[in-house]
Amino acid sequence: MIVLDYKDRRPIYEQVAERLQELMLLGILEQDEKLPSVRGLAVELSINPNTIQRAYMELERQGYIYSVKGKGSFVADVSAAREARLGELKAELGDLAARAVQLGVGPEDFLKMAGDAYGKAGEKT
């Protein structure tokens, strides 16, 4: 579920939060689904519970999860976050397309490069 990279310069709590965000945006963790307890996830990942607590606090601050006192943490409705990320992606693609035009790259070549990059990105996950 969550794989940590100890060579990554980012703090562990950021890696945990980012991976949980990915799982939510992909729909693997669905809306209103209960997240593992702080202690349970800490044991599973062999890290300090305070690290998980910090990741959960960050996710809650960003609106990805919500807490119910005495019950735990749950996945919030992430459809707005997903739409915002898709909007950012479209803007970045527009910028890349504009750069391709400036370099004289044709639409077919641009689409081929995009497809190749997408394939390589899919291999990493």
Side-chain angles (χ1 to χ4, degrees), residues 24 32-40 52-53 56-57 59-60 64-76:
M24 290 175 217
D32 298 323
E33 184 174 337
K34 187 176 186 324
L35 293 175
S37 70
V38 169
R39 284 188 185 147
I52 301 299
Q53 184 61 43
Y56 280 14
M57 286 173 36
L59 288 168
E60 189 165 3
Y64 284 90
I65 66 173
Y66 62 94
S67 297
V68 176
K69 191 168 180 107
K71 301 256 187 219
S73 297
F74 299 84
V75 177

Side-chain angles (χ1 to χ4, degrees), residues 1 33 41 49-50 63 78 87 112:
M1 184 169 159
E33 184 174 337
L41 190 54
N50 292 335
V78 295
K112 182 176 180 341

Side-chain angles (χ1 to χ4, degrees), residues 15-33:
Q15 292 183 47
V16 171
E18 182 180 276
R19 186 62 181 135
L20 287 170
Q21 282 177 1
E22 290 172 6
L23 293 171
M24 290 175 217
L25 292 172
L26 288 170
I28 295 168
L29 291 175
E30 298 178 353
Q31 183 176 343
D32 298 323
E33 184 174 337

Side-chain angles (χ1 to χ4, degrees), residues 95-112:
D95 293 343
L96 288 173
R99 286 177 51 197
V101 168
Q102 289 173 345
L103 292 171
V105 175
E108 297 84 15
D109 291 333
F110 179 75
L111 289 174
K112 182 176 180 341

